[in-house]
Amino acid sequence: MLRLTPIDRAKSPLTAVDEEAVRLADVLEDHPGVSGVTDSGVQGDIVFTAAGRSWVLDFQDGPNGEVFQDPADAPAPADGPAADVLRDVVVPTLLAHSAYRAAIADGDTITVRLDTGRHYTLALGPAA
C-alpha cells in the first residue's frame, strides 16, 4: 500500500494550488470509500485509494499556462480510463462541499468550478 506523509502546513506558506490541494485532500478524506489521502508533490498532486486502487489527481495547466482559470474560459477535458472513480467517488464528494459549485467528469479528467466562479481541471491516473 502506498503511504505518503501529508504536508506540514505550519512549516511553509502554501501557494493557491497547494491550498486547493489541501482542501481537496481534506474533502476526499471525508468520503467513506476513500482512504490514504495525501496532498503531495511539487504541483499539489493528490494521492488517494478508492475502488481497491491508488490514484493520483494532477492539476492541469489551462490554455494560458495557469491552473486557475477565469469564469469565462471554457474547460476542455479529455477522455480516458478513470471515469468510474471520478464519477462514483470524486464528483459526489466535491458536490457535497460548499466550496465547489460544480464538478464535471469527462473520461479521466474533471473540471472543478469553485464558489468564486473560477475553475480548474484535474487529470486522474493510477498511482505508480
Side-chain angles (χ1 to χ4, degrees), residues 51-115:
R53 189 169 183 184
S54 292
W55 300 93
V56 176
L57 276 169
D58 182 27
F59 285 93
Q60 303 295 295
D61 292 336
N64 60 4
E66 298 291 323
V67 170
F68 294 97
Q69 303 298 304
D70 290 323
D73 295 336
D79 290 330
D84 291 344
V85 171
L86 285 177
R87 184 188 65 242
D88 298 341
V89 177
V90 178
V91 169
T93 302
L94 296 183
L95 293 178
H97 193 278
S98 62
Y100 304 106
R101 187 184 314 170
I104 304 157
D106 184 9
D108 65 352
T109 62
I110 183 170
T111 300
V112 179
R113 294 197 176 272
L114 301 169
D115 61 355

